Each structure stands twice: as C-alpha cells, then as structure tokens.
Amino acid sequence: MLFRSVGILGPTGAGKSTIANLLCRYYDVTGGQVLIDGIDVKDYDLQYLRRNVGITMQEAFLFSDTVEGNIAFGNIDASFEDVEKAAELARVKEFIGDLTDGYDTIVGERGVGLSGGQKQRIALARLFLADPKIMILDDTTSAVDNDTEKKIRESIAKKSGGHTTFIISHRVSSFENADVILVIQNGSITQSGSHEELMAQDGYYRQVWEEQSGENYGTK
C-alpha cells in the first residue's frame, strides 16, 4: 500500500528523529538499509538526495539574513510572490507585519529576535518553497499555539499532494491527516495503523491521546 503521509509518535529518545536523520543521510546505518523507491540512500548522489528530501526540525535554524532571504534559501530563483505564497501557507504572514521591516527585517544568527514559533514557521515556509519530493517535519509546530497548529496542519495537508510527508510529533493532533501512524518505542515500531485502528488498541497511542485530549476514550 502506498502511504503519502506518515505520522511518527513516541516518547523522547525513542528514535523518531533518528529516522529523519537516516533518510537525509546526516549519518548512515551500521546495519540494514534505508531505501527510497527501492534504492539504498547510499547509492543516491548526496546533492540529489538532499535536494529531494527536505526537513524542518524543532530547533529551527535560521541564517543572519532577511526573513525573505531565509525563506528563499532553498529556492534562490523564486520570485517574491512565491515567497509570499509559502509564507502564507506556513502562517508567517500572520506576524510579518509586526516586524520592523517586514520581509526585509534582518534576523540574527539562529533567529535571534524571533519567538520559537516564528522561527519554526519561517523554516516551514522555506521547506514549502523548496518543494522537495519528501518532506520531513520533525516537531515543527511544538512552539506554536493550538489554533496556529491547526491552520498549519491544513497547509501541510494541502502541500502534501504529490509528495511523501513524514510528520514527527509529540502531539497526536498532528496526525489528523496521516495515512498511517507509526509508534516508536525503544528504537522499534510497536504499533502501526490509522487513528481509528490505534485507538481500538490498548497501547501507547491511545494512552497519549487520552492524556492530551483530557477525555476518556469510549466513555461517551
């Protein structure tokens, strides 16, 4: 079965981000293989691989540049209109007017002067504009409020068409549009399935859902 959107849930240290790093070849496996389209990632040209596998992380990295320059980094030929479209999808436009010089505002190295949520949204806009075939979102909405996260989820679902998307998160709500959800514990996949399938099991996924929703599933 072909899955376009894959959610990955698990406790801290379970190995969620390790999966993302292996896909991008930030380091290589010591055993087994990581395959994309049936081809070992080691057999791809590294520049080609990095161009087609894009990632944003919880600790968003920004350059000492303008907001526009940071968004356009992954696609230097993009027009300003394209930058604005990506910014709108990532909900950057919601705070851009509060910055001194709008898109021309210089942000310090690593985004000094911006909140964690603002940095995450700029990094997400960069990913949207780069438009890689595989998008990996590693806890990229952890610093935004619930309302903004919901809007970003809608944008991710819209942008995921024609892409493969991995959504790594501690929030069960992030997997609303996922085709399949993987639960990682102690470096292993302990559960997999849709939201409905995992909720029917007495496992980690259901436990986290109950804790985060504040509701006791099945009592209504």
Side-chain angles (χ1 to χ4, degrees):
M1 185 179 294
L2 179 64
F3 298 120
R4 287 295 186 188
S5 180
V6 180
I8 301 178
L9 174 73
T12 300
K16 304 183 300 297
S17 295
T18 297
I19 294 174
N21 289 324
L22 291 173
L23 280 168
C24 297
R25 279 202 71 193
Y26 291 147
Y27 45 80
D28 290 325
V29 294
T30 54
Q33 291 178 297
V34 177
L35 307 178
I36 296 179
D37 289 338
I39 301 173
D40 194 314
V41 291
K42 295 179 182 178
D43 294 331
Y44 283 102
D45 173 77
L46 190 57
Q47 185 176 4
Y48 175 85
L49 181 70
R50 298 277 173 83
R51 189 165 59 245
N52 287 281
V53 181
I55 184 172
T56 61
M57 301 181 181
Q58 180 178 2
E59 292 297 326
F61 181 85
L62 299 182
F63 302 95
S64 184
D65 197 351
T66 64
V67 172
E68 179 186 357
N70 269 282
I71 295 174
F73 180 80
N75 185 353
I76 59 175
D77 296 324
S79 66
F80 179 69
E81 289 72 22
D82 292 332
V83 170
E84 278 195 307
K85 288 178 183 177
E88 185 170 5
L89 275 176
R91 305 296 164 177
V92 173
K93 289 192 73 172
E94 294 184 359
F95 68 82
I96 198 68
D98 297 331
L99 302 182
T100 308
D101 297 308
Y103 287 98
D104 292 324
T105 301
I106 298 289
V107 298
E109 189 173 348
R110 299 190 66 85
V112 174
L114 298 175
S115 70
Q118 289 171 336
K119 288 188 287 186
Q120 286 183 339
R121 281 183 273 178
I122 290 173
L124 186 59
R126 179 197 298 159
L127 180 70
F128 286 161
L129 186 61
D131 200 32
K133 293 180 180 178
I134 298 176
M135 297 192 297
I136 304 172
L137 300 98
D138 189 353
D139 247 350
T140 51
T141 58
S142 60
V144 302
D145 59 74
N146 291 335
D147 182 57
T148 301
E149 189 217 3
K150 184 176 186 299
K151 294 175 181 177
I152 290 175
R153 287 204 312 267
E154 293 169 354
S155 296
I156 292 170
K158 183 186 300 184
K159 190 65 179 176
S160 293
H163 299 72
T164 297
T165 307
F166 291 87
I167 302 169
I168 301 171
S169 180
H170 289 92
R171 292 180 180 175
V172 172
S173 58
S174 299
F175 310 130
E176 183 179 49
N177 300 300
D179 295 320
V180 65
I181 302 162
L182 307 178
V183 176
I184 310 294
Q185 293 177 285
N186 298 318
S188 300
I189 298 175
T190 57
Q191 291 181 281
S192 66
S194 66
H195 170 77
E196 291 75 18
E197 290 169 338
L198 295 180
M199 286 299 293
Q201 303 172 21
D202 186 16
Y204 182 83
Y205 183 87
R206 177 172 162 177
Q207 175 189 336
V208 173
W209 186 89
E210 289 176 349
E211 290 174 353
Q212 293 183 0
S213 67
E215 298 175 356
N216 189 1
Y217 179 75
T219 60
K220 288 190 175 183

